[in-house]
Every structure is written in C-alpha cells, then in structure tokens.
Amino acid sequence: MQSLPIAHPDEGKGTTSVAAPSAYLTAVLCWLLSAGVYIAAKWAAPEMPPWALCFWRLTLACAILLPIVHRHHGAMIALLRSRALEVLMIGTIGLTLCQGMIYTGLSHTDATTAGIIMALSPVMTMVLARFVLGEPLGPWKALGALLSLVGMAVIVARGDLAALMRLQFSAGELWIVGSAICWGLYTVLLRRAKLGIELLPMVVLLLGAGALTALPFYLWELLSGERSSLHANGLLALAYVAGPGGALMYYLYNRSVETLGAGRASMLLYLQTVFVAILAYLFLGEGLHGYDLAGAAFIVAGLVLANAIRPKPRSARAA
C-alpha cells in the first residue's frame, strides 16, 4: 500500500526518455492492487485483528519475494551487518506502525475515508523533510500543506465544526492520520539513510524488519484474547494482501521505478485514492460522505499548490 519505499531521486533514471505505455500500465496496476488492500483489510476485520493481519501480510510477502532477490542476498547480509538497527527502525515506522494503524483505523471508519486521508501523506512527507532533511518549504508549499491539513481536520471531525472546536475526533480517522504521519516520516528517513542497495532487495529487508517488530503486537493481541477466526472471507483477504496486494504489488512498484523513474512512479500514488473509492463502492457498498468530498477538495487544492506551482527562478543580473 502507501508504505511502499519511495526511491531516492537518482534511482530509476537513465532508462528511457519517453516511457512506453506498458510502463504506465504497470504503475497503474501497482496502485490498483494497493487500493485493494484497503478493501481486503476492511473485509477481513471481523475475522482477523489488525496486528495479526499486519504481521502475516509482512511475513508472507517477505517469504514470497525473498527467493526472487537471491542474487542480492550477499549485499543484503552485508547491509544488515553494518546497519541492522537503522533498517529495523525504518521498517518499523514504515511497515509495522503504518500498516498496523491503517488496519486498526479501518475497524472504525470507511475504506473510502481512509483512502482520502492517506492522500495527505505526500504533504506530510514535504513538511517533515523540511525539519529532518532541511529541504526548503517555500510559501506555496507551506500554503498547500495548510490547506491539506484543513481538509484532514474536516474529515477527522466528520464535518462537525463544533466537534472540531471541542477537539472531539473519531478514533478511526485519527488512526489513519497517525498512519499518514508514519508514512511521511518513513519516506524522509529512507531518503536520508541512502541504504545503497537496489529497491526490491531493500523492500524485502524492510518487510522482514517490519514482520519482526509486528510480532510483539501480534502476540499482545493473542494474549488479550483477540484471536483470528478465519473463514472463507478472511482467508481470501489474507491471501490477497500477502500475494497480489503484497509481493506482486511491491514487485510492480520496483518495475515502475525502473521504467518511469522514481518521481513519476511515486506521483501516480494519487490514483490509489480514486481506486479505493471505486472499489469500496463496488465491493463494500460505501458511498462518499459530504465531509469526505469537502476534505478531499482541500487536500487536492493543497497538493496542487504544493506541487504544481513553482517559484520563478531569479534572472541573473547582467555583468
């Protein structure tokens, strides 16, 4: 899902100046499969607690992908020997906490609402990059971030201004906001770390790290009596989030970065929100609420200001 590693800006360059249509189809399919995870998680919620789903998705996806990156096992082991704690921390934030919070939030809110809030993640990344990496924010980006945050507040308060003033928010939406913050921090830390190996092997390492740190949460659920009672729906959902929505989705993202470049591949993430809304309507019978539309309008306006408007370069003075 949205916790895909965003490649370093230099990755994925030098392939083709004009990408083939199949490259875009690969990226679109990636985000369609990612959107399906929201639907599967919502569908499996009555049969599988959130941290159990998080643990098994990460574990199975890592197991599926590990043989595919066998040529990189040496580099992966070397990275773990030198920077294991860093890999563990990034995997925990971006895969364990990000996904666990989404699955917890989906127990209390619609998949459509969750998808719209997660569209806020790039703005979170931009703001966090200002403080962690020292990247310039600029007035347009700052205004865009502010508008997007207003949109988030509208959705979290479910359009109730009185609830917003009293700081009374629904638990489900707050969990999703926490996930968006984790995704932004994860992306920034990953860019700063520059782990120095190819994208897909890095994904496998982070999946393994995420599964390792998800294990205590999963065991805590078991000790608390929240056990899985998987039937047909739960088993199908787990198979989807681990296979097509897990290993295959990560593999397709890697391919799209190779062919499109990291920037274009990542910008297509916004398709995920559209796909979530469509799939939630088709499979869950969800509809868009008025507060969803109002919040989405603010978020989209903020994204446009932050990404589409560029400051004009200053003209060089004549010598």
Side-chain angles (χ1 to χ4, degrees):
M1 52 194 347
Q2 73 302 321
S3 53
L4 289 163
I6 299 302
H8 187 268
D10 292 335
E11 292 183 44
K13 290 184 178 180
T15 50
T16 57
S17 56
V18 178
S22 59
Y24 285 98
L25 288 176
T26 298
V28 170
L29 179 58
C30 164
W31 296 118
L32 176 61
L33 293 175
S34 178
V37 174
Y38 289 77
I39 312 306
K42 185 72 176 175
W43 202 21
E47 299 181 18
M48 198 169 200
W51 294 105
L53 182 59
C54 177
F55 170 75
W56 285 113
R57 183 198 186 207
L58 296 176
T59 300
L60 293 174
C62 180
I64 293 170
L65 288 173
L66 191 59
I68 297 176
V69 296
H70 65 92
R71 297 179 182 176
H72 303 275
H73 285 178
M76 294 164 67
I77 293 172
L79 178 61
L80 287 177
R81 285 175 176 171
S82 60
R83 305 174 70 180
L85 188 59
E86 200 171 358
V87 171
L88 187 66
M89 179 184 69
I90 295 173
T92 298
I93 293 172
L95 294 173
T96 306
L97 296 180
C98 184
Q99 294 190 29
M101 286 181 174
I102 286 179
Y103 302 152
T104 302
L106 284 170
S107 300
H108 306 282
T109 192
D110 294 341
T112 303
T113 301
I116 293 173
I117 294 176
M118 287 308 297
L120 185 70
S121 300
V123 174
M124 293 290 190
T125 302
M126 183 176 59
V127 173
L128 289 169
R130 171 66 184 89
F131 296 101
V132 178
L133 303 178
E135 295 182 359
L137 193 59
W140 288 113
K141 287 186 176 182
L143 180 58
L146 180 61
L147 283 175
S148 294
L149 289 174
V150 169
M152 176 201 72
V154 170
I155 294 173
V156 170
R158 299 193 172 186
D160 185 351
L161 182 59
L164 183 61
M165 298 302 293
R166 295 193 303 266
L167 299 180
Q168 293 181 347
F169 305 127
S170 61
E173 283 79 3
L174 287 177
W175 279 111
I176 307 299
V177 171
S179 177
I181 294 172
C182 284
W183 189 91
L185 181 59
Y186 159 74
T187 304
V188 169
L189 292 176
L190 195 59
R191 282 161 55 185
R192 186 179 70 173
K194 299 179 181 178
L195 296 177
I197 62 173
E198 292 187 20
L199 182 57
L200 192 58
M202 181 178 67
V203 168
V204 175
L205 282 180
L206 293 174
L207 285 168
L212 184 63
T213 52
L215 180 59
F217 293 96
Y218 174 40
L219 294 176
W220 172 75
E221 272 185 344
L222 292 176
L223 292 173
S224 301
E226 296 187 51
R227 300 180 182 275
S228 302
S229 55
L230 290 180
H231 302 294
N233 288 351
L235 288 171
L236 285 172
L238 179 59
Y240 178 83
V241 300
L248 178 58
M249 184 261 297
Y250 287 117
Y251 177 78
L252 291 176
Y253 179 74
N254 179 71
R255 293 293 302 162
S256 66
V257 168
E258 290 177 352
T259 52
L260 295 176
R264 281 185 289 178
S266 302
M267 285 301 294
L268 289 172
L269 174 146
Y270 301 121
L271 290 174
Q272 178 181 258
T273 301
V274 178
F275 288 144
V276 168
I278 294 172
L279 293 175
Y281 173 77
L282 293 175
F283 293 98
L284 302 176
E286 292 183 3
L288 286 170
H289 305 95
Y291 58 80
D292 284 329
L293 294 172
F298 278 104
I299 291 173
V300 169
L303 290 171
V304 169
L305 283 176
N307 294 288
I309 299 179
R310 305 289 182 186
K312 295 181 180 179
R314 294 180 180 177
S315 56
R317 292 183 179 178

